[in-house]
Amino acid sequence: MEIYLVRHTETICEKGICYGQSDVDISVPFDEIFDRIICELPSEAIIFSSPLKRCVILAKHIQKNIKTISYQEDERLKEMNFGDWELKSWNEIPQEELNPWMEDFVNIKVSNGESFVELHDRVGDFLSETISKTNQPIVIVAHAGIIRSILCHQSSLPLKDAFNNKVDFGQVIKIDF
């Protein structure tokens, strides 16, 4: 089955801000980037999106420009919950909190947030529940963490190596799952 993983476009957040599940806007103008993304997608697909507006804006544009079999927003496609670190500069996060997480982001949970393994588990639930029920092409509009997790599921890449998968803003990655 063809799955198209689409990362949202650039946000209005300054570089170096940890925004995770914060519902931030995307930078404008985005029409040219959206049109390029559409050209990389199938003409007909099932669309799933994170409910965060930086993904929904793009997903709705895709929905208008391809034949959509169905469209659904799913909470499990939200970016990692960075808890107390949300909307803080990475430089503001106390080193005694940041360093252990940097050493083992897979298992260490952010204060009032989640670990990468928790994100990976919810992505696994999403995949097993939704992906297995169709043979139609699927477009998933989501975040870098979610896309890296899906790529780990698909390739059996260890979670500690998830960042080996580079995922740019507005990038489309086609996989066979």
Side-chain angles (χ1 to χ4, degrees), residues 8-12 24-28 30 34 53-54 57:
H8 62 81
T9 55
E10 205 157 344
T11 71
I12 60 168
V24 298
D25 275 316
I26 55 175
S27 296
V28 292
F30 48 74
F34 280 17
K53 65 181 152 188
R54 60 188 182 264
I57 293 167

Side-chain angles (χ1 to χ4, degrees), residues 85-135:
W85 299 355
E86 293 277 335
L87 296 177
K88 287 186 177 178
S89 162
W90 285 99
N91 295 330
E92 281 180 68
I93 300 167
Q95 291 299 304
E96 60 273 7
E97 291 177 36
L98 184 61
N99 288 342
W101 182 80
M102 294 294 279
E103 294 284 322
D104 186 10
F105 70 91
V106 172
N107 298 299
I108 294 183
K109 190 175 186 170
V110 174
S111 177
N112 294 310
E114 67 184 335
S115 67
F116 192 69
V117 77
E118 290 172 316
L119 176 148
H120 191 66
D121 288 346
R122 67 180 156 90
V123 168
D125 288 344
F126 166 80
L127 292 172
S128 63
E129 181 184 308
T130 57
I131 303 303
S132 62
K133 296 179 183 176
T134 185
N135 288 323

